[in-house]
């Protein structure tokens, strides 16, 4: 099994990466999130309100092409959640099955989930093959989905057990930065919806990482750009 990190743009003004992840096993190719919309590349230069700095060629489909991975090669897309910077290119992977927490999908398709609406046409399509899961779930041997709501209802993180590197816990936006690793003292960020659930999910993930001796990969940690190995490098 191999894990590759895809950095697809930066969050303004803090310069934090917007991640997606590619996992290849002997049986499947799994993409975790699809990054900011490819058609927004360069928009930050003319739109002062554009939250993500995305250069042409930094979108997830382009990054995958450079790895020799085409849209039809992706078997599963794991949706940590459907915020636009995480689900902006779901429509590219029309042959894949999309795996979402049932609770999250229900929220994102309701009026309450209006923050996901700008890219809904990318992920809510009549031809989408959707797998709705409930809570912690084994996706494939060595890959577990961990329900970690609070940032949004039904957010999920991903635990990957790599044979040589060991376990890596992709926390996504449940723990976006290392400053948020303490469940009691962590800041609650502007896009976090439920403080009590954010803290409970943080505690759950930190305890899981301790039990598994896993490296926690925070979703939008600026130091990931220097401390972690982006694709084409990999962890195995």
């Amino acid at each position: 099994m191999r894990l590759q990190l895809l950095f697809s743009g930066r969050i303004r003004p803090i310069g934090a990466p917007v991640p997606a992840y590619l996992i290849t096993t002997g049986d499947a190719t799994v993409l975790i999130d699809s990054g900011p919309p490819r058609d927004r590349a360069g928009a930050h230069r003319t739109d002062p309100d554009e939250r993500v700095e995305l250069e042409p060629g930094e979108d997830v489909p382009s990054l995958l092409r450079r790895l020799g991975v085409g849209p039809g090669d992706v078997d599963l897309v794991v949706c940590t959640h459907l915020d636009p910077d995480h689900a902006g290119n779901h429509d590219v992977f029309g042959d894949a099955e999309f795996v979402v927490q049932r609770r999250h999908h229900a929220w994102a398709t309701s009026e309450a989930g209006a923050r996901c609406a700008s890219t809904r046409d990318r992920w809510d399509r009549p031809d989408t093959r959707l797998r709705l899961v409930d809570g912690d779930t084994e996706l494939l041997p060595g890959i577990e989905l961990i329900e970690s709501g609070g940032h949004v209802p039904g957010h999920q993180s991903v635990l990957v057990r790599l044979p040589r590197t060991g376990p890596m816990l992709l926390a996504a936006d449940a723990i976006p930065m290392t400053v948020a690793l303490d469940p009691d003292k962590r800041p609650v960020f502007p896009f976090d919806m439920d403080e009590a659930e954010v803290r409970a999910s943080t505690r759950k993930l930190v305890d899981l990482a301790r039990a598994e001796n896993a490296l926690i990969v925070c979703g939008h940690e600026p130091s990931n750009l220097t401390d972690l190995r982006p694709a084409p490098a990999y962890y195995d």
Side-chain angles (χ1 to χ4, degrees), residues 52-77:
V52 175
E53 295 181 358
L54 181 70
E55 298 295 342
E58 280 189 337
D59 59 275
V60 166
S62 295
L63 295 174
L64 290 176
R65 279 196 298 272
R66 291 205 285 275
L67 298 175
V69 178
D73 298 323
V74 175
D75 301 299
L76 296 167
V77 178

Side-chain angles (χ1 to χ4, degrees), residues 128-177:
T128 297
R129 290 195 295 133
L130 193 62
R131 186 194 307 183
L132 300 177
V133 298
D134 297 293
D136 299 352
T137 303
E138 182 182 65
L139 180 68
L140 293 168
I143 305 175
E144 294 183 20
L145 310 179
I146 311 298
E147 198 279 334
S148 50
H151 175 67
V152 289
H155 179 285
Q156 61 185 351
S157 305
V158 184
L159 177 66
V160 186
R161 293 188 175 92
L162 297 167
R164 291 206 304 175
T165 303
M168 296 180 72
L169 180 54
L170 311 177
D173 284 13
I175 307 179
M177 300 179 187

